[in-house]
């Protein structure tokens, strides 16, 4: 058997860091959504677990490898798999690329190995790999709480055209969380109001509700983050915000044409016009 899966990137519409936990992680409240920028994963049978990729990631940091090893260990499966990874999502960029690859490795191997695990079981394993991994098992739009393991899928379809801009700085999530001041937070957050503002294209309300508590700390070290944000607004974005722990900044645009025009003005940075994903995928 051989098949191909597309692992999407995500953005955080808002990310509120609520407080530091005794285990060193931070409790957060975030609205996350997948976008149509994908890594590719090709699965085929093999005696051992092997990951083939053009990127040089040490085995211990390779979340695809970690996910495969964990799944085999927890299920006592005896065979292996060959997984070919094609990277499109920038790394250490706040877009969840590594986490998505890990989640789709669990989903892919569940199928390849005929394990028959359900979504809940896969989400439990996903949480052991990384804080963002359960979100990608759950579906395309969700409120995420706790360390990231409490995922509440959202039925509302938030359809938007975004311009992603990345200045090529790799930000470590641990570093970003370590520098932020928890409790700056704007919760309680009303998801209904967010959806209303979204549907009504309410520029003022949206720019207020799209925020990231990690942004100030990361922008203090890398002023280019704030510059990109200002440029996106100047180019006509309804709102702009850093995603995850950075360094990607997204701008929300009224149309694909506007986003493409803005992209022309954002040289020399990596940039991509994307659409949000709303449909959920099968396990
Ligand atoms: O879970 P993950 O390995 O992706 O997290 C990377 C780092 O980001 C953690 O080691 C931790 O320092 C920080 N983090 C956090 N609180 C979270 C998620 C991540 O402090 N909810």
């Amino acid at each position: 058997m051989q098949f191909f899966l597309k692992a999407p990137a995500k953005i955080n519409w808002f990310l509120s860091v609520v407080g530091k936990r005794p285990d060193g992680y931070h409790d957060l409240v975030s609205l996350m959504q997948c976008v149509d920028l994908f890594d590719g994963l090709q699965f085929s049978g093999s005696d051992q677990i092997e990951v083939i990729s053009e990127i040089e990631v040490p085995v211990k940091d390779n979340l695809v490898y970690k996910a495969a090893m964990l799944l085999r260990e927890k299920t006592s499966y005896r065979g292996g798999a060959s997984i070919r990874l094609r990277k499109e999502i920038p790394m250490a960029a706040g877009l969840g690329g590594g986490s998505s690859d890990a989640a789709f490795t669990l989903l892919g191997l569940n199928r390849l190995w005929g394990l028959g695990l359900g979504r809940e079981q896969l989400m439990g394993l996903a949480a052991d790999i990384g804080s963002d991994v359960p979100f990608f098992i759950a579906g395309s739009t969700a409120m995420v709480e706790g360390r990231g393991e409490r995922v509440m899928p959202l039925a509302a379809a938030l359809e938007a055209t975004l311009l992603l801009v990345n200045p090529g700085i790799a930000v470590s999530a641990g570093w970003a969380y370590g520098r932020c001041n928890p409790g700056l937070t704007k919760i309680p957050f009303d998801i209904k109001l967010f959806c209303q503002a979204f549907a009504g294209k309410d520029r003022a309300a949206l720019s207020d509700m799209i925020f990231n508590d990690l942004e100030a700390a990361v922008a203090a070290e890398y002023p280019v983050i704030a510059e990109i944000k200002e440029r996106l607004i100047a180019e006509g974005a309804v709102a702009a915000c850093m995603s995850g722990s950075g360094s990607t900044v997204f701008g929300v645009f009224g149309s694909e044409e506007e986003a493409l025009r803005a992209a022309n003005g954002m040289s020399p940075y990596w940039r991509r016009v994307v659409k949000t994903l709303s449909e959920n995928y099968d396990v």
Side-chain angles (χ1 to χ4, degrees):
M1 182 162 42
Q2 185 163 316
F3 58 92
F4 182 77
L5 293 181
K6 286 158 71 179
K10 59 83 179 160
I11 55 121
N12 301 76
W13 284 113
F14 63 85
L15 195 167
S16 178
V17 182
V18 181
K20 191 161 181 187
R21 303 154 46 119
D23 63 6
Y25 283 84
H26 292 77
D27 277 321
L28 51 88
V29 179
S30 186
L31 174 59
M32 291 166 63
Q33 186 166 15
C34 294
V35 297
D36 65 354
L37 165 66
F38 301 95
D39 284 344
L41 291 154
Q42 175 83 37
F43 294 87
S44 49
S46 175
D47 296 344
Q48 332 155 22
I49 289 175
E50 56 168 358
V51 180
I52 306 157
S53 170
E54 74 275 21
I55 50 144
E56 298 278 320
V57 181
V59 167
K60 70 171 177 43
D61 299 329
N62 190 327
L63 293 187
V64 170
Y65 186 76
K66 262 192 201 171
M69 293 301 279
L70 183 73
L71 186 64
R72 190 167 69 170
E73 182 195 319
K74 295 287 182 187
T75 57
S76 305
Y77 182 77
R78 291 192 184 279
S82 174
I83 307 164
R84 188 175 287 274
L85 171 66
R86 198 191 66 222
K87 286 299 291 181
E88 284 286 330
I89 305 170
M91 294 192 286
L95 297 173
S99 303
S100 185
D101 296 342
F104 279 79
T105 297
L106 294 178
L107 292 167
L109 292 181
N110 188 36
R111 191 203 294 183
L112 185 76
W113 292 345
L115 300 173
L117 299 181
R119 207 180 283 274
E120 289 300 315
Q121 286 166 295
L122 291 172
M123 283 176 74
L125 289 172
D128 288 342
I129 302 165
S131 305
D132 283 348
V133 185
F135 161 74
F136 287 103
I137 300 279
S140 60
T141 312
M143 283 285 282
V144 173
E145 292 184 7
R147 206 193 102 197
E149 78 287 5
R150 288 211 306 276
V151 183
M152 288 139 288
L154 206 72
L158 303 172
E159 286 174 14
T161 302
L162 310 174
L163 171 59
L164 307 179
V165 183
N166 183 285
I169 299 161
V171 178
S172 138
W175 173 86
Y177 275 98
R179 288 181 59 115
C180 88
N181 285 326
L184 295 173
T185 186
K186 303 187 187 183
I187 54 164
F189 191 87
D190 192 332
I191 194 71
K192 260 199 194 137
L193 284 181
F194 186 87
C195 293
Q196 272 169 18
F198 209 90
K201 298 191 168 67
D202 184 339
R203 196 175 261 264
L206 274 180
S207 59
D208 216 32
M209 287 191 238
I210 295 173
F211 67 94
N212 183 339
D213 281 350
L214 297 172
E215 190 180 293
V218 179
E221 184 75 13
Y222 303 111
V224 67
I225 304 279
E227 279 166 35
I228 290 173
K229 201 170 153 172
E230 275 170 30
R231 276 173 70 179
L232 282 166
I233 299 290
E235 295 280 354
V238 173
C241 189
M242 190 179 83
S243 183
S245 48
S247 59
T248 304
V249 180
F250 63 90
V252 187
F253 284 86
S255 70
E256 195 172 346
E257 292 70 37
E258 283 176 45
L260 286 167
R261 210 175 312 128
N264 286 334
M266 301 300 296
S267 171
Y269 306 124
W270 176 95
R271 55 225 190 268
R272 188 71 67 92
V273 175
V274 296
K275 294 217 183 282
T276 51
L277 297 178
S278 292
E279 70 282 4
N280 281 322
Y281 27 80
D282 292 332
V283 170

